[in-house]
Amino acid sequence: MTASSRDTAVAMTRTRGVLVVTMQPDLDRERFEHLRLAAMAEAGRERLAAVVLDFSAVDVLSLAEFERARDLLAALRLLGLEVAMVSLAPSVVLYLAEVQADPGKGLYFRGLDEALRRFGQD
């Protein structure tokens, strides 16, 4: 499923009770806001167990972008969903550690398969 705006698309896939949101590189505030609204709408519409933000396509992530993603997961957690970030690049993780980014209360997995095994419903 894809929700479109005039210049970007939000790739979201539902599988086994998990909503996977594929994060795109270079999400400015406006594009991230579109993604946030689309993900919240989808989470409110469907009975889901979890929402996973997949960063496999993202090689560079600023602290502000990470904090926006973390805050989105916190909002989704308020809806009663389990949340996670997956596939953060090692260089991104190193940077986030260097700037002492607060990871929040979400879970982190090396890959999407791990998250689906944890959250997926049969």
Side-chain angles (χ1 to χ4, degrees):
M1 145 180 337
T2 302
S4 296
S5 76
R6 62 183 188 269
D7 60 356
T8 188
V10 177
M12 295 187 293
T13 306
R14 246 181 285 119
T15 181
R16 297 173 38 210
V18 178
L19 179 65
V20 178
V21 180
T22 303
M23 304 301 290
Q24 300 300 314
D26 302 323
L27 278 178
D28 61 19
R29 280 189 192 275
E30 182 180 334
R31 290 180 177 146
F32 186 85
E33 182 64 12
H34 177 71
L35 178 144
R36 185 185 71 80
L37 292 173
M40 292 296 290
E42 188 67 19
R45 190 176 308 125
E46 285 294 322
R47 285 200 148 294
L48 297 168
V51 175
V52 173
L53 302 184
D54 179 4
F55 284 85
S56 58
V58 178
D59 293 325
V60 177
L61 188 68
S62 72
L63 180 58
E65 291 166 330
F66 174 76
E67 289 173 341
R68 284 193 290 267
R70 187 196 60 211
D71 292 347
L72 169 58
L73 293 181
L76 290 162
R77 216 173 26 258
L78 289 173
L79 291 175
L81 298 168
E82 295 198 68
V83 296
M85 287 188 198
V86 302
S87 302
L88 287 168
S91 59
V92 169
V93 172
L94 180 60
Y95 166 73
L96 293 172
E98 286 175 354
V99 298
Q100 299 180 355
D102 178 4
K105 295 182 180 177
L107 297 174
Y108 296 84
F109 296 95
R110 288 176 23 169
L112 183 57
D113 289 341
E114 291 177 56
L116 291 176
R117 277 194 301 274
R118 168 75 184 261
F119 299 133
Q121 302 170 349
D122 293 324

